[in-house]
Amino acid sequence: DTAVSQTPKYLVTQMGNDKSIKCEQNLGHDTMYWYKQDSKKFLKIMFSYNNKELIINETVPNRFSPKSPDKAHLNLHINSLELGDSAVYFCASSQGRRTVSNQPQHFGDGTRLSIL
Amino acid sequence: TQLLEQSPQFLSIQEGENLTVYCNSSSVFSSLQWYRQEPGEGPVLLVTVVTGGEVKKLKRLTFQFGDARKDSSLHITAAQPGDTGLYLCAGLPTGTYKYIFGTGTRLKVLA
């Protein structure tokens, strides 16, 4: 069974479109995250939710809107896509309310977003 | 802005060689994690270190957390092609609750 699954794996779309990425975890974790990995492989946190509550909201354009319908799901909606949004987006989950120091983050396999 | 610098950025070595990857910062961390990421996949946790000076071994991999908890190293003995991948350190700055990731080290081990 896949622990953290993201869909779609690949997303190719035109500039200006709106798209969503879905994430589900079956680990029973309380906290979920969205990360962005750029072309240089730098991984940067975007958002974090704990039991449907937003707890981390980094400096991200408000075109990005996360939604957590329940603690096992965290979706990411992106409006008016721009060229600079091209990246790999990773969903992750961990146990505990905050990022507890010894708790691992379990990552999905990423969604490769390409803007034409 | 807190930054975790990894060195080297790229490393290509022959099977059987030893190597060390460094992760340095001016910030103090409550804990530090090392991940390995393979192409087309997400990062996978290798180890978490929480005590200054701590050394952890995972088969041929040895991880060390600096005494001041500002830096860490990963040493691989007798590297194998299966060790090829992107190695990422991630630190939890004291007083915060979000990990920051290092700049990454891309390792290629040639057979």
Side-chain angles (χ1 to χ4, degrees):
Chain A
D1 280 350
T2 304
V4 180
S5 58
Q6 299 178 226
T7 54
K9 190 169 175 69
Y10 299 94
L11 188 49
V12 182
T13 190
Q14 299 276 350
M15 204 163 52
N17 284 350
D18 303 338
K19 290 292 177 186
S20 291
I21 308 172
K22 295 187 176 183
C23 179
E24 176 182 2
Q25 54 96 3
N26 63 5
L27 297 167
H29 287 165
D30 297 316
T31 305
M32 295 184 72
Y33 313 82
W34 278 113
Y35 283 87
K36 179 179 180 181
Q37 188 171 46
D38 61 23
S39 58
K40 293 183 179 178
K41 303 299 184 185
F42 185 62
L43 202 60
K44 192 167 191 297
I45 192 165
M46 300 172 70
F47 302 103
S48 176
Y49 270 76
N50 176 266
N51 280 323
K52 303 192 296 178
E53 177 192 353
L54 180 65
I55 58 172
I56 295 175
N57 187 356
E58 288 296 281
T59 308
V60 175
N62 57 15
R63 297 182 294 103
F64 290 79
S65 52
K67 279 202 174 72
S68 183
D70 56 62
K71 77 171 194 174
H73 295 83
L74 180 61
N75 304 322
L76 183 64
H77 187 76
I78 315 170
N79 288 326
S80 303
L81 281 157
E82 299 178 358
L83 289 175
D85 297 333
S86 294
V88 182
Y89 292 84
F90 284 99
C91 176
S93 71
S94 68
Q95 190 54 282
R97 171 167 171 77
R98 302 293 192 184
T99 306
V100 180
S101 63
N102 60 353
Q103 294 300 313
Q105 294 180 69
H106 295 258
F107 286 81
D109 284 341
T111 295
R112 281 139 194 86
L113 175 62
S114 298
I115 309 301
L116 303 177
Chain B
T1 304
Q2 292 157 326
L3 197 62
L4 263 175
E5 294 274 1
Q6 285 184 235
S7 60
Q9 196 176 350
F10 299 95
L11 190 54
S12 181
I13 60 171
Q14 293 291 331
E15 183 177 4
E17 291 183 7
N18 301 334
L19 66 116
T20 302
V21 177
Y22 298 94
C23 175
N24 294 299
S25 177
S26 56
S27 300
V28 178
F29 299 105
S30 304
S31 67
L32 193 137
Q33 297 177 334
W34 282 93
Y35 290 81
R36 189 172 92 200
Q37 183 179 9
E38 300 195 24
E41 298 180 10
V44 176
L45 182 74
L46 296 173
V47 77
T48 301
V49 285
V50 298
T51 306
E54 182 177 0
V55 176
K56 277 193 175 177
K57 290 194 173 186
L58 188 67
K59 296 184 181 176
R60 294 176 295 99
L61 277 59
T62 302
F63 304 87
Q64 184 161 10
F65 201 12
D67 291 341
R69 291 184 288 128
K70 292 184 179 182
D71 53 80
S72 180
S73 64
L74 157 60
H75 182 79
I76 301 179
T77 304
Q80 298 177 1
D83 296 327
T84 293
L86 174 69
Y87 289 81
L88 295 163
C89 62
L92 184 66
T94 51
T96 73
Y97 51 87
K98 57 187 177 188
Y99 276 91
I100 56 168
F101 277 79
T103 48
T105 295
R106 292 194 223 196
L107 171 66
K108 188 167 186 177
V109 182
L110 305 168

